[in-house]
Amino acid sequence: MTGLLASVQDAREMDLAIKGGADWIDLKNPKAGALGMLPATDLADLVRSLDGRLPVSATLGDHWDDPSRYGDLVGELESVELSYIKVGVNARGLNQAYKAILENVLNRAMPAIAVIVVEFGVTNSMCRDLADLGFKGAMLDTADKTSGALGTKIGIDGVRRFVESARDAGLLCGLAGSLDISHLSAYLPLTPDYLGFRSALCQGSRTGTINQQAVRELATKLHSGDCQQAVA
C-alpha cells in the first residue's frame, strides 16, 4: 500500500499529522526552501518525542548544486536516530566528481533517500546510479512550489518511468511536489511506496500550519483503495 508522507516543522504539527493518519513523518523547515533543514537540536527532540511510532526522515537543505555541503550537515546528525536522511540531487549533474562527493557522504550517514529535483532534469540511468552509490530510496520532487505540481513538469509518463526504474533498481520510491488529493487517481495506480505532502495539509500556504482534518481526508482517500485509474 502507498503511504502518506507528511512534512512537518515542529512537535505540534507532528502530533496533528499522526492523529490525522500519516504513515511517515518528514522533518523539514518549509521557510528555508523545498528541502529546508531544521536545526539538529530540533530534529533530535522531535525524533525522541516520536519514539519510533512511525518512520522518520529529515531533509538536508537545498544543496543539490553544491553537494559538498552535505558532509558537514550529516556530521551534525550523527546522534539523531532518523530512519532516513533526504539528500537533494541534480540528476544531470551526476558526473564522477559529484558521485564521489555523494558516496563519501553516504559512507558516513544513516540510510539515505535521493530527492531528484525535476526542474534540473531526469535521466534514464539515475536510479541505477543512485542505487550503485548506496542510496536506499529515490524521490521525485519540485524545487519551485509555486509553478505547478509534479505532473505539469514531467508528465504522467515521466512519473511512470521513474517509478518503474526505481523499482527495477531496488529503491524505495516516493513522489512529491505540490501534490494534493486531486492527484491520487493519477499516481496511486503507479504504486509508489509513498506520496509526500506539505501544502495540501496546511492552512494557507506551505509555510502555514498543518490542519489535522486535511491530513485525515487525504489519508482516508489514499488508504481507501478506490483510486484505480491512472491518467493517460
Side-chain angles (χ1 to χ4, degrees), residues 53 65 204:
R53 286 174 285 170
D65 282 335

Side-chain angles (χ1 to χ4, degrees), residues 104-192:
N104 182 56
V105 169
L106 295 176
N107 286 338
R108 301 173 50 197
M110 67 286 292
I113 292 171
V115 181
I116 309 300
V117 184
V118 296
E119 284 92 340
F120 301 111
V122 176
T123 67
N124 293 332
S125 64
M126 65 183 182
C127 284
R128 175 53 57 192
D129 289 343
L130 294 168
D132 290 344
L133 286 171
F135 280 96
K136 302 303 182 185
M139 181 176 192
L140 281 185
D141 202 351
T142 58
D144 184 349
K145 305 301 182 182
T146 65
S147 62
L150 178 67
T152 65
K153 299 181 180 183
I154 190 174
I156 188 65
D157 286 339
V159 176
R160 183 184 292 110
R161 286 192 296 271
F162 165 76
V163 173
E164 291 172 351
S165 64
R167 187 178 294 118
D168 289 344
L171 295 173
L172 191 69
C173 174
L175 305 174
S178 301
L179 303 185
D180 59 35
I181 199 166
S182 71
H183 297 109
L184 296 185
S185 60
Y187 296 145
L188 283 181
L190 305 181
T191 65

Side-chain angles (χ1 to χ4, degrees), residues 62-120:
D62 293 357
H63 305 308
W64 45 78
D65 282 335
D66 185 12
S68 63
R69 298 282 303 278
Y70 292 134
D72 289 340
L73 298 173
V74 165
E76 296 176 16
L77 301 180
E78 288 178 344
S79 62
V80 182
E81 296 183 2
L82 294 159
S83 306
Y84 300 93
I85 55 170
K86 289 172 64 184
V87 180
V89 172
N90 180 340
R92 293 199 181 280
L94 280 176
N95 56 31
Q96 290 306 310
Y98 194 111
K99 289 180 180 179
I101 293 171
L102 291 178
E103 191 168 28
N104 182 56
V105 169
L106 295 176
N107 286 338
R108 301 173 50 197
M110 67 286 292
I113 292 171
V115 181
I116 309 300
V117 184
V118 296
E119 284 92 340
F120 301 111

